[in-house]
Amino acid sequence: MKIGRNATRIVEAKHRVPGYAGRADGPGIVATGPSSMRGFTLIEVIVAFAVLALALTLLLGTLSGAARQVRWADDAGRAALHAQSLLDQTGVGEALQPGQREGEFEDGRYRWSLQVEPWRDQTTQDATLLDPVAPRLMRLTLAVQWGDGGPRQQLQLQSLRLVAADQRGALSLP
């Protein structure tokens, strides 16, 4: 269709979309065609949902990982407090004897094992040089486990205690 200078623009009926008036570009002019219709194609909507699903998956994975770390930190902190309490009470009110003891905290949630043995200086080869009535060092090794006791669910502490030997050879804290 050729339009001259003085001619009026007329949009042919075959270019009109039924039920859509279009937009007015000027007096008596109606724009039609693909550029006047706005919206998203089906593939664009599917891609948008896929990107949203991926983002939500990553976000939830990060949040659940953070929750596991907070739980682990809480368990490890409680285990350290129980271990400190047990080491503070060991040898108080009773003589410290070599051997092993076991027990649990919080109805079995935390399990502990305490080993007490004489500490030996690795630089001294001859044990006969030790004075039998001199105070001695005892090594305390405390292991605390929780959960299934995996490598990240256990805590091991070691401490030395000075004990005095009495006349019968029993060891007690000075």
Side-chain angles (χ1 to χ4, degrees):
M1 174 168 96
K2 191 172 184 182
I3 301 176
R5 271 188 209 177
N6 296 329
T8 308
R9 291 184 173 184
I10 300 173
V11 178
E12 294 179 10
K14 66 179 182 179
H15 293 291
R16 291 192 185 180
V17 177
Y20 180 71
R23 62 184 160 107
D25 284 341
I29 300 172
V30 177
T32 61
S35 64
S36 65
M37 294 173 34
R38 302 282 180 201
F40 296 104
T41 63
L42 180 60
I43 192 70
E44 290 173 330
V45 172
I46 290 173
V47 168
F49 275 118
V51 169
L52 179 65
L54 179 65
L56 287 176
T57 302
L58 293 174
L59 177 66
L60 291 177
T62 302
L63 291 177
S64 68
R68 274 193 304 272
Q69 288 178 344
V70 167
R71 173 65 184 223
W72 177 84
D74 179 54
D75 288 342
R78 293 176 71 83
L81 289 175
H82 287 308
Q84 181 181 5
S85 175
L86 183 64
L87 284 176
D88 286 346
Q89 294 172 5
T90 301
V92 175
E94 63 183 47
L96 191 60
Q97 298 293 327
Q100 183 166 346
R101 297 186 325 191
E102 295 180 351
E104 57 186 36
F105 297 113
E106 293 186 19
D107 297 326
R109 183 173 177 193
Y110 297 93
R111 298 162 310 280
W112 60 268
S113 173
L114 177 65
Q115 171 125 15
V116 179
E117 59 190 3
W119 180 76
R120 290 188 37 144
D121 186 3
Q122 300 298 327
T123 60
T124 307
Q125 297 296 329
D126 191 11
T128 59
L129 299 176
L130 296 177
D131 185 6
V133 294
R136 301 238 171 106
L137 283 174
M138 298 294 280
R139 180 172 61 187
L140 285 70
T141 304
L142 177 64
V144 179
Q145 296 179 345
W146 61 94
D148 61 1
R152 292 185 45 95
Q153 295 179 330
Q154 62 183 348
L155 174 68
Q156 186 170 6
L157 302 171
Q158 290 188 354
S159 179
L160 294 176
R161 296 281 170 91
L162 184 65
V163 293
D166 62 8
Q167 283 74 18
R168 296 177 310 220
L171 301 172
S172 63
L173 290 175

